[in-house]
Amino acid sequence: MRIELERRPQASKLFGFLSPLLALALALIAGTIMFAVLGKDPVEALDAFFVEPLLEVWSLHELAIKAGPLILIAVGLCVCYRSNNWNIGAEGQFTIGAVAGSYIPIVFTDWHSPMVLPLMLIAGAVGGALYAAIPALLKAHFNTNEILTSLMLVYIGQLYLDWLSRGPWRDPQGHNFPQSIDFPPEAVLPAIWADSGRAHWGIAFAIVAAILAWFMMKYTLKGFEITVLGQSERAGRFAGFSSKKMVWFGFLFSGALAGLAGISEVAGSIGHLQPAISPGYGFTAIIVAFLARLNPLGAILSGFVLALTYLGGEAAQLSPGISAKAASVFQGLLLFFVLSCDTLINYKIRLVWSRVRGGAA
């Protein structure tokens, strides 16, 4: 007996719409079982994950801080994945964007100008795009697997950041801590409502990017080109579209948004460069993109949901005493169920019974 997947004649539109909600419900059920196995009260654990972070104004600000980079990176990945280019290295592009944007306040310490912050944001986006250009070049001209190259570049970027923070860019007055100098006020993203919390303009960048990307995908020729080439490269060639140019566009677009997210995180939430600037935003944004069904507007909602798991994971360490790894496990369960539900919408499982005849294997 073997198990095969047989494509359905027509996918259900209703279940296509309900798939993310079903995946979330299944992840909650699996999470409940996981907490029970760990010896924790599932109700208390889920309350810590999904309710407590929404009860205080300051925690809503923290939710916006964590949702900003997730949404911004996921918007770029939605466009890239729709074009059938699989950028798995957004975490590295996030890191290099932070490094590139931090160059101005760290190196030009005596330059105090209103132009510092805008130039930092531009440099961050350019740095992320240039780093994403490496797997784009390898795929477009050497037919290299972009999943492997973009993923390996993540670790190169993280090690480069670690070296800078502990070496050339380490603050000489920082009591030997591995971090750069603190950014001056003109190099810091201002808070949106400073009186009630720390949320900065990074979340506004993310929402604007989601709206513009959605408009591009729905109403422009470039969006139509992305859709056609993503569904059928052969059909795209008949229409006069270039698959190589689309590789470049998909990677540069997603890399630029990841780099912008990186410098926004450093300039808005941290205030200096240090070896660890991300809890894994670039990888979690992949879950955000698929939970949104590769729709840039949907990435706003799914970004807040995944940000809630980060914030809830921190709260769950205090009250039920759950390990921080539980949040990562829950995110993995969510991605598993999202992909499983999407697969079963388009395919049905078929059991095939085979018999051995006349000694033939």
Side-chain angles (χ1 to χ4, degrees), residues 17-85:
F17 175 76
L18 296 176
S19 174
L21 299 178
L22 179 60
L24 182 59
L26 291 172
L28 289 174
I29 294 171
T32 300
I33 297 172
M34 178 183 68
F35 296 137
V37 170
L38 292 173
K40 308 296 182 181
D41 182 359
V43 175
E44 184 183 3
L46 291 176
D47 180 74
F49 261 91
F50 297 104
V51 179
E52 285 186 17
L54 302 176
L55 298 180
E56 300 288 343
V57 174
W58 69 267
S59 63
L60 293 177
H61 278 259
E62 297 301 314
L63 183 66
I65 288 173
K66 294 186 182 303
L70 288 175
I71 297 171
L72 200 51
I73 299 171
V75 168
L77 294 182
C78 285
V79 174
C80 190
Y81 293 166
R82 289 274 294 272
S83 68
N84 199 30
N85 292 292

Side-chain angles (χ1 to χ4, degrees), residues 253-279:
F253 183 84
S254 58
L257 290 186
L260 179 60
I263 187 57
S264 298
E265 178 71 9
V266 170
S269 305
I270 302 174
H272 56 257
L273 209 60
Q274 60 189 31
I277 60 173
S278 167

Side-chain angles (χ1 to χ4, degrees), residues 24-327:
L24 182 59
L26 291 172
L28 289 174
I29 294 171
T32 300
I33 297 172
M34 178 183 68
F35 296 137
V37 170
L38 292 173
K40 308 296 182 181
D41 182 359
V43 175
E44 184 183 3
L46 291 176
D47 180 74
F49 261 91
F50 297 104
V51 179
E52 285 186 17
L54 302 176
L55 298 180
E56 300 288 343
V57 174
W58 69 267
S59 63
L60 293 177
H61 278 259
E62 297 301 314
L63 183 66
I65 288 173
K66 294 186 182 303
L70 288 175
I71 297 171
L72 200 51
I73 299 171
V75 168
L77 294 182
C78 285
V79 174
C80 190
Y81 293 166
R82 289 274 294 272
S83 68
N84 199 30
N85 292 292
W86 302 98
N87 180 10
I88 310 298
E91 182 78 1
Q93 295 141 27
F94 177 95
T95 301
I96 296 301
V99 170
S102 300
Y103 181 85
I104 297 174
I106 292 175
V107 175
F108 300 100
T109 54
D110 296 329
W111 187 29
H112 302 283
S113 166
M115 291 299 296
V116 169
L117 185 59
L119 288 175
M120 287 172 61
L121 298 175
I122 294 171
V126 171
L130 290 177
Y131 205 57
I134 299 174
L137 172 68
L138 293 173
K139 178 180 180 179
H141 298 281
F142 300 97
N143 199 29
T144 308
N145 188 302
E146 74 273 25
I147 296 175
L148 296 177
T149 54
S150 61
L151 180 59
M152 288 188 291
L153 285 167
V154 170
Y155 306 105
I156 296 174
Q158 290 175 337
L159 290 171
Y160 181 60
L161 170 62
D162 188 89
W163 173 73
L164 285 175
S165 302
R166 300 178 190 275
W169 285 2
R170 186 171 64 183
D171 183 5
Q173 307 298 325
H175 305 288
N176 213 32
F177 284 103
Q179 65 182 50
S180 72
I181 60 171
D182 290 331
F183 293 171
E186 62 271 10
V188 175
L189 270 178
I192 298 177
W193 296 288
D195 294 336
S196 57
R198 300 192 308 137
H200 53 76
W201 285 94
I203 183 64
F205 296 160
I207 293 174
V208 170
I211 294 172
L212 293 178
W214 170 81
F215 182 86
M216 176 188 72
M217 292 297 299
K218 193 170 180 64
Y219 294 108
T220 68
L221 177 61
K222 177 58 71 175
F224 177 70
E225 181 182 350
I226 292 169
T227 302
V228 171
L229 283 171
Q231 293 180 352
S232 172
E233 184 177 332
R234 185 167 180 263
R237 286 199 301 268
F238 278 116
F241 301 143
S242 169
S243 58
K244 286 187 177 181
K245 289 182 180 179
M246 184 52 61
V247 171
W248 282 101
F249 177 81
F251 271 91
L252 292 179
F253 183 84
S254 58
L257 290 186
L260 179 60
I263 187 57
S264 298
E265 178 71 9
V266 170
S269 305
I270 302 174
H272 56 257
L273 209 60
Q274 60 189 31
I277 60 173
S278 167
Y281 287 136
F283 295 118
T284 306
I286 298 173
I287 307 176
V288 174
F290 279 103
L291 188 61
R293 308 301 299 276
L294 303 185
N295 184 321
L297 279 186
I300 298 175
L301 178 59
S302 58
F304 276 102
V305 171
L306 268 297
L308 190 58
T309 66
Y310 273 125
L311 206 59
E314 296 172 0
Q317 293 178 62
L318 300 177
S319 46
I322 295 174
S323 167
K325 300 299 181 182

